[in-house]
Amino acid sequence: MAKKWKMPKWFYQLGSPRWFYDISDRLLPWFAIPAVLLLVIGAVWGLAFAPADYQQGNSFRIIYVHVPSAVLAQSAYMLMAVAGAINLIWKMKVADMVAKSCAPIGATLAVLALATGAIWGKPTWGAWWVWDARLTSMLILLFLYIGVYVLYSAIENEVKAGQAGAVLALVGLVNIPIIKYSVEWWNTLHQPSTFKVTEKPAMPPEMYLPLILMVLGFYCFFAVALMLRTRAEVLRRERRSGWVQQLVEAS
């Protein structure tokens, strides 16, 4: 008889608000310090020392903010959808809190990606905005983030709000491959992806290495922001529990 597969212990521990609060307290410095170092080094290297592009000149340097924010906006959305699915299936409160916390952070990243893309597009395309497939799908991503956040804010019952937000997030997942492959599926103005796993970057190392540092720095910063927002949500929802009361008294 086949042995029944069980979920690992840490997966169920994630359902405990107190466990998440304690473990995130230990993890925060491990992400905060690399975030600062990577972002500072990447920004200084990319903005001050990387060579200018032979076609776009110094205007290309906005890539060091635009690409990380665009990539992370998509990753954050996928995390939000996965957390929402975990909440729907296993009824884990922490997963719901993570999904809720992802929405405003992801929306901010989407706004940053769209804004920097517009700034980059003006000297490149001669316009702040064009109804390009990549830009339009990124705008839809922003609306999806806003929609999830509005559902959490508008529905008083937190269980129903989490379920509604999770369903919208899961439906919106169809937009992620559209964003990624839009430049290949349609004739667009937007340039292809800067990095591909199967191909060597077209940029020289002195240009793409600081970009890699910025992407890693953005991910570390996102982890810090997500843990802080989720910790605040944990304290709000668990404010009547004994362990939170002890934290309040100890402070």
Side-chain angles (χ1 to χ4, degrees):
M1 184 175 179
K3 189 176 181 180
K4 188 177 180 181
W5 186 77
K6 294 182 179 181
M7 297 296 289
K9 181 180 178 181
W10 61 264
F11 181 80
Y12 293 103
Q13 286 178 321
L14 285 173
S16 167
R18 182 171 186 176
W19 183 87
F20 174 85
Y21 192 88
D22 291 340
I23 196 67
S24 62
D25 187 53
R26 299 179 216 166
L27 290 175
L28 275 170
W30 292 95
F31 286 94
I33 295 173
V36 173
L37 293 176
L38 289 167
L39 290 174
V40 170
I41 295 172
V44 172
W45 188 355
L47 299 178
F49 295 102
D53 185 77
Y54 75 100
Q55 287 182 320
Q56 302 179 48
N58 285 317
S59 65
F60 98 99
R61 296 184 191 279
I62 202 163
I63 194 176
Y64 296 110
V65 178
H66 174 69
V67 169
S69 58
V71 170
L72 189 50
Q74 297 171 65
S75 297
Y77 190 89
M78 290 188 288
L79 175 61
M80 181 176 70
V82 170
I86 292 174
N87 177 48
L88 284 175
I89 298 169
W90 287 283
K91 312 297 182 185
M92 288 188 176
K93 291 191 295 183
V94 174
D96 182 41
M97 298 178 199
V98 169
K100 181 180 180 180
S101 300
C102 277
I105 304 173
T108 303
L109 290 166
V111 169
L112 183 59
L114 290 168
T116 52
I119 296 171
W120 195 4
K122 180 60 176 175
T124 305
W125 302 333
W128 294 102
W129 177 267
V130 292
W131 290 103
D132 178 271
R134 173 67 64 84
L135 273 66
T136 304
S137 52
M138 275 299 297
L139 181 62
I140 293 173
L141 183 70
L142 172 60
F143 291 155
L144 287 168
Y145 272 125
I146 294 174
V148 172
Y149 184 76
V150 168
L151 285 175
Y152 272 105
S153 302
I155 302 175
E156 292 185 6
N157 186 299
E158 290 181 340
V159 174
K160 292 183 178 179
Q163 293 172 344
V167 170
L168 178 57
L170 289 169
V171 171
L173 273 177
V174 70
N175 189 49
I176 298 300
I178 294 176
I179 295 174
K180 180 173 177 57
Y181 297 108
S182 57
V183 295
E184 300 175 15
W185 291 346
W186 295 286
N187 183 22
T188 69
L189 290 173
H190 199 284
Q191 69 182 49
S193 299
T194 305
F195 293 114
K196 292 184 178 180
V197 177
T198 57
E199 298 179 13
K200 183 180 179 180
M203 297 187 297
E206 57 269 25
M207 294 174 71
Y208 72 74
L209 287 177
L211 180 56
I212 292 175
L213 294 182
M214 289 296 290
V215 170
L216 294 175
F218 264 71
Y219 271 98
C220 289
F221 177 79
F222 169 73
V224 172
L226 180 61
M227 282 190 283
L228 289 175
R229 287 195 67 92
T230 306
R231 283 163 62 87
E233 187 67 18
V234 166
L235 293 178
R236 186 186 70 80
R237 295 196 191 187
E238 301 293 310
R239 59 188 179 276
R240 293 185 179 87
S241 62
W243 69 272
V244 173
Q245 295 294 329
Q246 292 176 1
L247 285 177
V248 173
E249 293 172 1
S251 61

